[in-house]
Amino acid sequence: MKLLITGGMGFIGSHLVDKLSNSNNKILILTRTLSKKSNLKPSKNITIKKINLTNFQKVGTIIDRFGPDVIIHLAGNTSHSKSFEKPLQDVDSNTKSTLFMLEKIRQSKLSCKFILGSTFIVIGKPKKLPVNENTPCNPTTIYGTNRLASEHLCKIYHEVYGIKTNIFRITNSYGPREQVIPNKNAINFLIHQASNKRVLNIYNKGEFFRDLIYVDDVINGIYTIIKKGKDGELYWISSGKKTWFKKFASILQKQTDCGIKFPETPRYTKKVDVGNFVVDNSKLKKLGWKPKVDINSGIKKTIEYFNSK
Ligand SMILES: NC(=O)c1ccc[n+]([C@@H]2O[C@H](COP(=O)([O-])OP(=O)(O)OC[C@H]3O[C@@H](n4cnc5c(N)ncnc54)[C@H](OP(=O)(O)O)[C@@H]3O)[C@@H](O)[C@H]2O)c1
């Protein structure tokens, strides 16, 4: 199988490439920079092209030359705060890039499946839990809005033109190789802080919960969708479990002896925060997938990774 993976050196992308990299597959990765090259194990089945996805003409030529069976679109801005700093860039890298690739598949009449990586952020603050595939979406950030627009484009291209699309939405995921910046993935940032025995800042006294999923479970979920996903469908990839932040902080404290502080929640966070979040993952489970890594061992593996660096 020929797989084109945009953002294949990033957190999710590099783990997915590990899973898919075997002699039956040819993988082409599109990446903006080579800054995350150390995430990848070299393999003769993998080709890397350094390109900004918003250079649509070049991306089109690459797709024509490679002739992928599957495109997995993971690249784009993945930080909600950066989407407010550079809102027009967010439209280009998150929405227009999706539209361009769908239109390319249509115009070139490629029999290629298009799989979009999306996020729980598209939901906004849910009115009812657990969230599922039918929950209304009211995103609170520009990033969430552009990902949601991309999701709609996938549905439209499937329904109007018959393009084979799938969408997966990931909840808060964590594990080795994730960047450790507070404005991208707070979970991994806190695990990293704890592994360095820093004092953790936990908002709202930890009185809120999220649906945390370890990266290996995410990758097996994406793999299941590649193999068995029904055309046109959206799937959630989540643990289906509530993790209270006070419990998360206490696991980190037990495993690392770090400190914990409970400061006032900043104004920006209050405005965009989605609050309590948990997802019903039964649709993907029906395809034979299930999450396997519990929170204690997921955190332990992530800390071991940080300590080995
Ligand atoms: N991590 C999570 O917890 C999480 C949660 C929910 C959903 N997701 C979804 O999972 C997908 C992947 O996320 P991730 O965590 O793996 O993100 P990531 O680590 O930030 O990786 C994204 C990759 O995309 C590349 N990229 C960004 N803009 C680009 C552009 N204009 N042209 C070419 N490449 C570009 C980046 O390259 P550079 O490094 O060179 O900039 C980076 O390698 C996204 O769809 C995201 O919404 C992730």
Side-chain angles (χ1 to χ4, degrees):
M1 193 159 47
K2 283 181 170 181
L3 299 120
L4 188 151
I5 306 182
T6 74
M9 281 188 180
F11 171 50
I12 304 291
S14 64
H15 286 279
L16 184 62
V17 168
D18 283 352
K19 173 94 183 174
L20 294 169
S21 169
N22 61 53
S23 54
N24 296 325
N25 292 333
K26 246 178 118 175
I27 299 175
L28 176 61
I29 293 173
L30 304 189
T31 181
R32 183 170 43 188
T33 70
L34 298 176
S35 62
K36 301 187 180 105
K37 203 170 176 194
S38 62
N39 280 347
L40 285 184
K41 296 174 193 140
S43 158
K44 61 178 177 17
N45 308 316
I46 303 170
T47 308
I48 298 164
K49 276 221 184 310
K50 185 163 124 9
I51 181 170
N52 193 322
L53 270 196
T54 58
N55 187 341
F56 299 128
Q57 206 186 344
K58 271 197 182 161
V59 173
T61 308
I62 290 170
I63 292 175
D64 276 335
R65 281 196 190 137
F66 185 60
D69 301 302
V70 184
I71 296 177
I72 304 162
H73 185 24
L74 303 171
N77 170 42
T78 48
S79 152
H80 54 83
S81 59
K82 275 196 196 147
S83 75
F84 284 101
E85 285 160 25
K86 298 199 168 155
L88 296 177
Q89 269 186 24
D90 203 78
V91 176
D92 286 347
S93 77
N94 282 336
T95 304
K96 275 198 198 166
S97 64
T98 305
L99 179 57
F100 174 80
M101 283 186 269
L102 289 167
E103 186 56 9
K104 180 75 206 163
I105 294 171
R106 182 185 80 79
Q107 279 182 4
S108 298
K109 298 188 173 57
L110 302 174
S111 69
C112 166
K113 185 162 187 150
F114 183 83
I115 303 181
L116 174 73
S118 189
T119 164
F120 69 103
I121 300 290
V122 298
I123 297 286
K125 300 175 201 286
K127 292 209 168 78
K128 210 174 130 198
L129 293 173
V131 164
N132 64 23
E133 286 75 11
N134 301 318
T135 298
C137 295
N138 294 293
T140 58
T141 63
I142 292 167
Y143 164 55
T145 305
N146 283 317
R147 286 282 155 159
L148 184 58
S150 283
E151 290 191 8
H152 283 300
L153 291 167
C154 287
K155 283 183 203 152
I156 290 165
Y157 270 71
H158 173 70
E159 276 157 29
V160 177
Y161 301 120
I163 307 286
K164 293 178 271 179
T165 63
N166 279 136
I167 300 158
F168 61 82
R169 289 185 189 148
I170 311 171
T171 52
N172 285 103
S173 141
Y174 66 99
R177 300 185 197 156
E178 175 61 298
Q179 301 165 71
V180 281
I181 47 173
N183 60 7
K184 199 238 163 182
N185 181 331
I187 308 299
N188 250 62
F189 178 72
L190 289 168
I191 301 175
H192 184 253
Q193 296 281 90
S195 70
N196 286 320
K197 302 211 183 326
R198 302 237 173 89
V199 177
L200 311 182
N201 282 331
I202 304 291
Y203 300 144
N204 204 20
K205 297 197 165 62
E207 292 287 347
F208 63 101
F209 58 79
R210 287 290 179 82
D211 187 327
L212 269 48
I213 181 155
Y214 188 67
V215 66
D216 289 0
D217 286 331
V218 173
I219 301 308
N220 287 330
I222 301 174
Y223 189 76
T224 304
I225 292 165
I226 296 172
K227 295 281 175 199
K228 299 184 191 165
K230 202 169 152 253
D231 292 344
E233 293 293 320
L234 155 73
Y235 297 92
W236 274 102
I237 304 180
S238 88
S239 70
K241 292 199 172 105
K242 296 173 185 174
T243 298
W244 288 90
F245 259 60
K246 55 188 177 190
K247 159 114 187 282
F248 174 60
S250 90
I251 296 173
L252 289 176
Q253 196 167 42
K254 266 191 208 132
Q255 292 197 18
T256 66
D257 216 13
C258 64
I260 301 177
K261 259 193 344 201
F262 296 104
E264 178 70 11
T265 309
R267 261 184 73 212
Y268 166 77
T269 307
K270 274 188 193 158
K271 279 190 181 161
V272 302
D273 186 37
V274 303
N276 288 335
F277 210 95
V278 68
V279 171
D280 170 1
N281 58 14
S282 50
K283 183 169 170 182
L284 186 54
K285 275 186 169 162
K286 283 188 192 134
L287 298 186
W289 165 87
K290 67 172 189 229
K292 292 185 178 148
V293 182
D294 69 77
I295 184 78
N296 278 290
S297 47
I299 290 176
K300 189 163 174 267
K301 285 169 194 243
T302 311
I303 290 172
E304 279 165 6
Y305 166 78
F306 287 134
N307 290 342
S308 72
K309 290 273 127 191

